[in-house]
């Protein structure tokens, strides 16, 4: 069923999701479905629009900017009330955003921002990557409560902005706590298998018993690392504390099983705040702030992770 | 018997020396490199990691060596890994057993290999272009199978292929060694290896000499597809999930590099699978240096590039010849009969 949906979305550029009794028609230009998170964002956006009785015109750009520009032009031609845009790259949007502005159609950016004058769009709804890292760091500070801790870090893809910002945020949070020290830091490319391989080398280079915590820039690497820690005869979540970012379903499952300690959510619900802002703006002209930051929620063993897993697993992650 | 064995040793000697050098660098970076102990029912140590993590590239380079010997190249192996891993995962998730899953994965790989083989041997499309088609499209096919997410499974039998141990030794090590031994046996104990070399040296004359080059070429790409599929299943089993986006990403380049470090010419002809396998171990040793050195990840690719460059420069014919001349400058030089492996041996000593 889902396969057919994917195929359909790929085959037809515009698959209007119909909802009845709709006051508003909103166009959504999505990047594509390059990751599970992206697929979940699409699912949640469609759901949010449906719940509000908004007609959502959905366009999958297959990772190409020209498809997004085409989609926005077509939304403008169709005279939609507003446009949601998850931009695939940061540059090259000025012209098409001006066209939307000339047609008096507000544009809200989702998840990523663009290099264009900020009067060309209504607002941007994104997470704060640095803040995510600092929530992770703060969790470890509180968890260790002054005890000495040698930390290993699995970085994201070298040079990518999530890797840089999540590292910065974590380092800011643990700065000034001399009991916490990052002893090894290497890239795991955001993937499970690299996470496992690099963790294997950490365990040998430092000695598993000398590592007290693992900070991974995403959950997938943490899930890979958990397997490496088990292979080394250690108990992940207990012998080595694990904190990561994203809160994908498998991370909730790992926390429920006691293999992992904490994860910080990168919410796929960017559309909720975006549609709130749009509805207020279209109703009485309330101008939202230029940047709406989504919540970076911390999940630990104190939450009912099994239930969250069941809830999240069908979102398309 | 002594003759051929001796020449095999001479053929792989440069690779062995480079491997020794790469392992020595590891020892310098991390003094406990050679420590191996037994933990949690499995051998545990850096050397085991090198052997274990070399498995995907080692398995790929068996097929790649044969393809390159026919003067071809197979760029699709990374994508085929993703397809095979996704197929196997999808089959166990449906509730079938691990044998069925493995066979389904291998079947998918065989189909991919057949596709490449037909494009190259029947339609006569240049190999680099023909296999590029599947390299680009294959990952999309894999994503269709996994529906864009990481397809996780918990079938113990399948997981055993990638993450399990047999008598304490990680299964992937046993698999790549057995595969290597089997293929070497088949191509060297029959005329198959010679026929493949003949195609690589001159396809037209080999055909005139009575070799059915078309069928043989298709078979070679088929074997490459099967090897890629096996590697793909192992990689998926290792993380208990098929990651269509990342499984085998860029591994086709590592496999080609392993074949080149193994001293095989990209222009086809004579080949040595054993030397390619050592090439795969050399690449993994280099990766190990990077991981153990504790350098910031920004340096990873630079370090790898420098080490690989050094290896290739030492192996280059011009440098080998210079080394030979240097060595031979004392007594009487005999440039006409300069044997390549011998000079490298001297140089490395």
């Amino acid at each position: 069923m889902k396969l057919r949906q994917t195929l359909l979305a790929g085959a037809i550029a515009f698959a209007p999701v119909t909802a009845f009794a709709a006051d508003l028609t909103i166009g959504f230009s999505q990047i594509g479905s390059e990751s599970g998170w992206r697929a979940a964002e699409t699912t949640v956006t469609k759901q949010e629009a449906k719940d509000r009785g908004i007609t959502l015109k959905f366009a999958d750009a297959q990772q190409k900017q020209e498809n997004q520009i085409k989609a926005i032009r077509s939304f403008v031609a169709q005279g939609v009330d507003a446009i949601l845009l998850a931009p695939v790259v940061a540059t090259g949007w000025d012209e098409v955003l001006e066209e939307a502005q000339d047609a008096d159609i507000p544009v809200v950016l989702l998840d990523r921002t663009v290099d264009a004058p900020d009067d060309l769009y209504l607002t941007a709804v994104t997470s704060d990557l640095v803040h995510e890292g600092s929530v992770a760091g703060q969790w470890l500070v509180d968890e260790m409560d002054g005890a000495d801790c040698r930390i290993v870090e699995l970085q994201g893809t070298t040079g990518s902005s999530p890797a840089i910002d999540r590292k910065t945020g974590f380092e800011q949070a643990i700065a000034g706590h001399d009991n916490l020290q990052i002893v090894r830091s290497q890239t795991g490319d955001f993937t499970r298998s690299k996470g496992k391989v690099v963790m294997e080398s950490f365990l040998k280079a430092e000695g598993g018993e000398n590592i007290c915590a693992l900070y991974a820039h995403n959950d997938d690497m943490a899930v890979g690392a958990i397997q490496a820690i088990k292979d080394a005869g250690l108990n992940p979540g207990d012998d080595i504390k694990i904190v990561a970012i994203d809160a994908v379903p498998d991370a909730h499952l790992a926390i429920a099983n006691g293999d992992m300690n904490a994860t910080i959510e990168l919410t796929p619900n960017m559309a909720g705040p975006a549609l709130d802002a749009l509805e207020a703006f279209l109703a009485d002209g309330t101008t939202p702030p230029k940047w709406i930051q989504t919540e970076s929620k911390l999940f630990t063993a104190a939450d009912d992770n099994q239930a969250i897993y069941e809830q999240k697993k069908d979102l398309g992650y | 018997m002594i003759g051929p064995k001796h020449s095999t040793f001479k053929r792989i000697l440069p690779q062995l020396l480079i491997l020794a050098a790469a392992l020595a660098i590891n020892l310098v970076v991390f003094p406990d490199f050679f420590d191996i102990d037994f933990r949690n029912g499995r051998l545990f140590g850096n050397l085991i990691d090198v052997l274990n993590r070399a498995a995907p590239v080692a398995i790929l380079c068996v097929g790649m060596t044969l393809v390159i010997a026919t003067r071809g190249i197979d760029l699709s192996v990374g994508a085929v890994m993703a397809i095979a891993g996704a197929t196997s995962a999808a089959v166990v998730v449906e509730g079938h057993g691990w044998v069925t899953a493995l066979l389904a994965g291998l079947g998918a790989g065989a189909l991919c290999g057949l596709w490449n083989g037909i494009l190259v041997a029947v339609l006569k499309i240049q190999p680099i272009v023909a296999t590029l088609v599947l390299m680009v499209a294959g990952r999309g096919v894999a994503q269709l199978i996994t529906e864009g997410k990481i397809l996780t499974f918990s079938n113990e039998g399948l997981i055993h292929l990638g993450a399990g141990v047999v008598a304490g030794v990680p299964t992937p090590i046993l698999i790549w060694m057995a595969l290597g031994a089997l293929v070497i046996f088949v191509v060297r104990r029959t005329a198959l290896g010679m026929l493949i070399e003949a195609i690589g040296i001159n396809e037209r004359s080999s055909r005139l000499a009575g070799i059915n080059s078309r069928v043989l070429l298709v078979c070679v790409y088929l074997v490459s597809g099967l090897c890629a599929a096996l590697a793909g299943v192992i990689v998926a089993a290792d993380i208990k999930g098929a990651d269509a986006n990342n499984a085998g990403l860029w591994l086709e380049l590592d496999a080609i590099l392993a074949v080149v470090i193994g001293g095989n010419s990209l222009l086809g002809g004579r080949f040595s699978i054993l030397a390619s396998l050592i090439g795969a171990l050399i690449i993994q040793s280099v990766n190990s240096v990077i991981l153990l050195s504790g350098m910031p990840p920004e340096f990873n690719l630079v370090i790898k590039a420098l080490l690989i460059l050094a290896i290739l420069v030492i192996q280059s014919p011009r440098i080998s010849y210079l080394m030979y001349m240097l060595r031979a400058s004392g007594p009487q030089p005999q440039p006409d009969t300069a044997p390549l492996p011998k000079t490298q041996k001297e140089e490395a000593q």
Side-chain angles (χ1 to χ4, degrees):
Chain A
M1 196 55 203
K2 269 220 57 217
L3 180 66
R4 226 183 78 210
Q5 282 173 0
T6 320
L7 285 171
L8 273 175
I12 326 164
F14 304 101
V17 178
T18 45
F20 296 101
D23 304 316
L24 294 177
T25 301
I26 289 178
F28 176 29
S29 172
Q30 175 63 291
I31 294 177
S33 52
E34 82 281 5
S35 67
W37 183 86
R38 187 69 58 194
E41 186 191 37
T42 304
T43 314
V44 172
T45 305
K46 286 177 177 169
Q47 191 57 43
E48 282 284 332
K50 200 177 164 198
D51 292 348
R52 292 157 198 258
I54 294 172
T55 306
L56 190 75
K57 289 179 181 292
F58 177 72
D60 181 335
Q62 314 251 317
Q63 277 82 19
K64 289 205 177 80
Q65 187 179 24
E66 64 258 35
N67 289 345
Q68 293 203 292
I69 290 174
K70 265 187 237 161
I72 294 170
R73 292 212 166 113
S74 136
F75 291 148
V76 171
Q78 294 170 53
V80 295
D81 298 300
I83 293 170
L84 300 178
L85 167 65
V88 64
V89 290
T91 53
W93 297 102
D94 299 50
E95 198 183 324
V96 72
L97 288 178
E98 276 164 22
E99 288 170 29
Q101 195 172 47
D102 291 345
D104 276 333
I105 298 172
V107 176
V108 175
L109 306 176
L110 293 190
D111 172 44
R112 302 183 185 181
T113 56
V114 297
D115 293 339
D118 67 1
D119 57 332
L120 288 179
Y121 55 88
L122 183 66
T123 179
V125 183
T126 70
S127 67
D128 183 344
L129 295 162
V130 177
H131 180 61
E132 288 167 0
S134 70
V135 172
Q138 192 55 48
W139 175 82
L140 196 61
V141 169
D142 297 341
E143 177 76 14
M144 295 327 292
D145 195 24
D148 282 340
C149 188
R150 292 160 59 84
I151 306 161
V152 294
E153 180 184 32
L154 283 169
Q155 296 186 28
T157 305
T158 309
S160 69
S161 61
I164 295 168
D165 292 348
R166 286 174 176 178
K167 183 173 175 56
T168 310
F170 187 83
E171 283 170 352
Q172 282 170 3
I174 65 167
H177 297 273
D178 296 336
N179 57 320
L180 304 179
Q181 186 197 358
I182 299 177
V183 290
R184 289 244 164 196
S185 181
Q186 179 56 258
T187 176
D189 276 336
F190 284 131
T191 68
R192 280 185 197 215
S193 58
K194 278 293 291 282
K196 184 174 182 185
V197 171
V198 176
M199 191 68 207
E200 282 178 355
S201 85
F202 283 168
L203 288 164
K204 270 135 208 156
E206 292 295 326
E209 55 291 342
N210 299 325
I211 299 172
C212 119
L214 162 70
Y215 167 48
H217 288 187
N218 80 346
D219 286 334
D220 277 334
M221 293 190 292
V223 169
I226 286 171
Q227 295 177 27
I229 295 169
K230 283 183 178 166
D231 284 350
L234 293 168
N235 196 354
D238 199 14
D239 295 328
I240 297 179
K241 305 273 182 215
I242 301 176
V243 53
I245 299 175
D246 277 356
V248 301
D250 283 347
H252 288 293
L253 197 60
I255 297 177
N257 293 337
D259 289 340
M260 192 168 155
N261 304 85
T263 182
I264 289 98
E265 184 175 50
L266 169 62
T267 177
N269 187 5
M270 303 268 169
L275 292 175
D276 285 344
L278 269 175
E279 282 178 331
F281 176 74
L282 295 171
D284 51 20
T286 318
T287 315
K290 274 294 160 193
W291 178 39
I292 301 172
Q293 183 188 339
T294 57
E295 190 191 1
S296 300
K297 192 163 184 274
L298 174 72
F299 288 94
T300 61
D303 300 282
D304 185 359
N305 286 284
Q306 192 67 42
I308 303 169
Y309 169 74
E310 298 296 335
Q311 200 181 12
K312 279 190 171 181
K313 70 174 184 187
D314 293 325
L315 288 181
Y317 274 109
Chain B
M1 277 315 280
I2 293 164
K5 265 191 187 158
H6 182 63
S7 76
T8 304
F9 180 70
K10 255 173 78 177
R11 167 68 180 81
I12 63 167
L13 188 63
Q15 279 73 36
L16 285 176
L17 289 173
I18 291 171
L19 180 61
L23 294 175
I25 299 176
N26 270 295
L27 193 63
V28 171
V29 170
F30 186 63
D32 297 333
F33 181 74
F34 287 105
D35 286 5
I36 293 176
D37 54 358
F38 203 73
R39 218 185 272 190
N40 199 24
R42 58 198 298 146
L43 289 169
F44 186 86
N46 288 293
L47 215 50
I48 300 296
D49 278 357
V50 169
L51 287 170
N52 190 18
R53 294 298 161 202
V57 174
I59 292 171
L60 289 181
C61 79
V62 170
M64 189 68 81
T65 307
L66 297 178
V67 169
I68 286 178
T70 67
R71 206 171 199 163
I73 201 148
D74 189 350
L75 293 181
S76 72
V77 289
V80 174
M81 281 176 70
I83 293 176
T87 309
S88 292
V91 169
V92 283
V93 167
E94 288 287 316
H96 298 280
W98 69 271
V99 179
T100 320
L102 176 62
L103 291 177
L106 292 177
L111 278 179
C112 295
L114 208 58
W115 163 266
N116 285 332
I118 289 172
L119 290 187
V120 172
V122 180
L123 300 179
K124 301 285 174 201
I125 300 174
Q126 295 217 0
I128 198 165
V129 183
T131 56
L132 189 66
V133 174
L134 201 53
M135 176 188 175
V136 176
R139 220 158 269 286
V141 173
Q143 273 161 355
L144 283 176
I145 298 170
T146 61
E147 297 179 359
K149 51 186 166 187
I150 299 178
L151 203 56
T152 52
F153 49 85
S154 53
N155 181 300
E156 286 303 324
L158 191 59
I159 291 169
H160 197 81
L161 290 177
V165 286
V166 175
V169 183
T171 328
I173 300 180
L174 300 172
I175 293 178
W176 76 255
M177 287 187 170
L179 178 82
L182 176 76
V183 176
I184 291 171
F185 181 81
V186 169
V187 297
R188 289 305 173 202
R189 293 289 142 177
T190 66
L192 217 51
M194 206 175 65
L195 300 183
I196 289 170
E197 286 174 351
I199 294 177
I201 293 163
N202 191 330
E203 193 192 340
R204 195 171 209 178
S205 29
S206 68
R207 202 165 49 239
L208 291 173
I211 297 174
N212 192 340
S213 67
R214 191 174 290 177
V215 169
L216 208 52
L217 265 179
V218 173
C219 286
V220 164
Y221 282 90
L222 186 73
V223 168
S224 179
L226 281 172
C227 289
L230 187 59
V233 174
I234 288 175
V235 165
D238 183 38
I239 58 164
K240 305 178 191 177
D243 185 349
N245 274 319
N246 301 303
L249 195 63
W250 308 127
L251 279 197
E252 57 279 342
L253 299 182
D254 271 5
I256 295 167
L257 186 62
V259 174
V260 171
I261 292 177
N264 298 295
S265 166
L266 287 177
L267 296 176
R270 297 190 63 186
F271 68 91
S272 164
I273 292 175
L274 190 56
S276 297
L277 290 174
I278 300 172
L281 289 178
I282 292 170
I283 293 178
Q284 194 51 42
S285 307
V286 169
N287 289 338
S288 169
V289 171
I290 292 167
L291 288 176
L292 290 174
S293 68
M295 297 273 273
E298 287 78 8
F299 291 96
N300 286 6
L301 297 176
V302 180
I303 299 172
K304 188 169 177 179
L306 287 177
L307 289 174
I308 299 292
L309 182 69
I311 292 169
L312 295 180
V313 165
I314 290 169
Q315 284 195 341
S316 68
R318 186 57 63 91
I319 298 289
S320 307
Y321 180 69
L322 273 176
M323 292 295 178
Y324 175 81
M325 289 303 281
L326 269 176
R327 184 182 61 91
S329 60
Q332 46 190 108
Q334 286 178 300
D336 288 338
T337 55
L340 220 124
K342 200 174 174 187
T343 44
Q344 282 167 344
K345 171 178 115 186
E346 289 299 325
E347 174 279 319
Q349 278 170 348

